[in-house]
Amino acid sequence: MTNSIRSAPGKVNKAGADDALFLKQFGGEILTEFETNCVFKPRTYVRTIKGGKSAQFPLIGTVQSSLHTPGNFIDGQEVGHAEQTIYVDGLMVAPIFVASIDEMENHYDIRGPYATEMGRELAYQYDKNVARMHVKAARATSALTGRLGGSIISGAGMNTNSDTMVAALFSAAQAFDEKNVSMGDRYGYFRPQQWYLLAQNTKLLDNDYKGSANISTGEVETAAGIKLVKSNHVPNYDANAGNYIAAGNKDFVQPKYRADYTKTVGVIGNKWAVGTVQLADISLESDWETRRQGTFMVAKMAVGHDVLRPDGAIELALP
């Protein structure tokens, strides 16, 4: 009997591998999940490189002015320069092996949920490292002589008293203004507990003052001109040992991102506070392994983060 023609929806223009389009869809799901869960990436400076292990970020100092006396020769001036080198951390991978027998016997799709978890995990690791680096930026001095470094605003009840947090946000805005940090691209990152406390604060709810908080939706947008962002990845642990337990899972902190964050409540950052060098954006590799009768999939990326402009970072902390 002649076999009937089989339609292969995974082929590209009826040719090639049966699962070619499936893999692209799977990779697209991972990328979508990564972008959805990565809150820090669009709010910091990212530089993409095509090769190498690091990138140099130039830092330029300020220019002075003076009153000219008629007839005097106007000369130039020397402007301070420095640079920050940011290194790629290495290859971050999220691997999964799917046995063919499991897929055949399973009564529901597993690749979709796997794609979600792989993309989410890489996004979380990206965010955790950028969050830690924001705190380190707030504690750092500037590489440029004469330029101010980061700031720390501390107070009792900073993590439980919303009025204290609101006052700290206004103090942070004032500190940014006094450092001539751009009015745009100011973001405040808080863990859910502190973020929801801010959403209930009557000062931010007050319609007479055009407050941005909405108690019916549990949302709060801005305070003191700072856009507020909710993130579980604002650190609140001692990462000096490298390992820590969070929500029942052990996480590993690379040496570059280690510090004691036990007093950290939130962090305010300008877009230029932390820089990211990106050697390889998130991507997917997939191979059928005959000897193991299954598909091995790896979602991966190669990035690195470091302090860029510490004057654009402020830590809110307990005393």
Side-chain angles (χ1 to χ4, degrees):
M1 179 184 293
T2 304
N3 291 330
S4 60
I5 297 176
R6 168 177 168 263
S7 175
K11 289 185 176 181
V12 179
N13 293 322
K14 305 179 184 180
D18 289 348
D19 58 358
L21 290 176
F22 296 155
L23 294 177
K24 289 181 180 179
Q25 180 180 353
F26 184 78
E29 290 174 355
I30 291 175
L31 179 59
T32 299
E33 192 68 23
F34 176 84
E35 296 294 345
T36 300
N37 287 279
C38 203
V39 302
F40 279 89
K41 184 176 182 180
R43 298 176 174 90
T44 53
Y45 182 73
V46 180
R47 180 176 173 183
T48 301
I49 59 175
K50 294 183 178 180
K53 63 179 181 180
S54 64
Q56 286 73 40
F57 292 74
L59 305 175
I60 302 175
T62 57
V63 175
Q64 303 297 318
S65 62
S66 61
L67 188 65
H68 176 244
T69 301
N72 284 2
F73 180 77
I74 301 176
D75 203 351
Q77 61 179 293
E78 186 175 4
V79 179
H81 287 260
E83 69 176 14
Q84 174 65 292
T85 301
I86 300 180
Y87 292 88
V88 176
D89 295 333
L91 192 65
M92 180 78 68
V93 297
I96 287 181
F97 176 78
V98 182
S100 62
I101 187 64
D102 291 339
E103 286 199 279
M104 287 187 286
E105 293 180 346
N106 218 12
H107 66 282
Y108 59 88
D109 172 60
I110 58 174
R111 294 204 181 198
Y114 283 172
T116 297
E117 291 304 320
M118 294 166 80
R120 185 178 294 164
E121 169 59 18
L122 290 180
Y124 285 178
Q125 291 302 323
Y126 188 109
D127 262 14
K128 288 175 184 178
N129 286 336
V130 178
R132 295 169 189 134
M133 198 52 70
H134 267 82
V135 179
K136 296 193 77 171
R139 301 174 182 179
T141 58
S142 177
L144 278 167
T145 301
R147 188 178 288 277
L148 297 173
S151 302
I152 300 174
I153 298 174
S154 61
M158 183 74 75
N159 59 338
T160 56
N161 188 311
S162 63
D163 285 339
T164 301
M165 285 188 281
V166 170
L169 285 166
F170 277 90
S171 295
Q174 178 183 338
F176 276 160
D177 289 345
E178 291 171 349
K179 294 179 182 180
N180 293 317
V181 174
S182 171
M183 289 288 292
D185 297 322
R186 295 180 180 182
Y187 302 97
Y189 304 93
F190 292 92
R191 293 184 291 273
Q193 179 188 3
Q194 286 72 42
W195 195 84
Y196 283 115
L197 283 172
L198 288 169
Q200 298 174 68
N201 189 282
T202 55
K203 294 177 181 176
L204 301 182
L205 284 168
D206 197 335
N207 290 328
D208 292 337
Y209 295 95
K210 298 182 179 180
S212 66
N214 188 328
I215 198 167
S216 63
T217 60
E219 296 288 334
V220 58
E221 297 176 2
T222 60
I226 298 170
K227 302 176 183 67
L228 303 182
V229 182
K230 177 175 55 179
S231 174
N232 275 320
H233 301 143
V234 176
N236 61 344
Y237 42 79
D238 186 354
N240 279 316
N243 291 312
Y244 72 95
I245 303 296
N249 298 316
K250 180 177 288 188
D251 208 347
F252 177 75
V253 184
Q254 300 170 37
K256 177 176 164 181
Y257 305 104
R258 294 178 188 174
D260 186 354
Y261 304 110
T262 51
K263 293 184 178 181
T264 303
V265 175
V267 65
I268 318 298
N270 174 264
K271 188 171 184 177
W272 294 92
V274 173
T276 295
V277 57
Q278 178 175 284
L279 178 62
D281 200 357
I282 184 171
S283 62
L284 173 72
E285 287 185 2
S286 178
D287 285 309
W288 167 259
E289 297 187 357
T290 303
R291 295 185 65 179
R292 295 209 295 168
Q293 286 296 293
T295 304
F296 190 78
M297 297 170 289
V298 177
K300 61 181 183 178
M301 65 178 179
V303 297
H305 320 280
D306 214 326
V307 176
L308 202 57
R309 287 278 304 273
D311 56 330
I314 298 174
E315 178 186 8
L316 304 187
L318 295 170

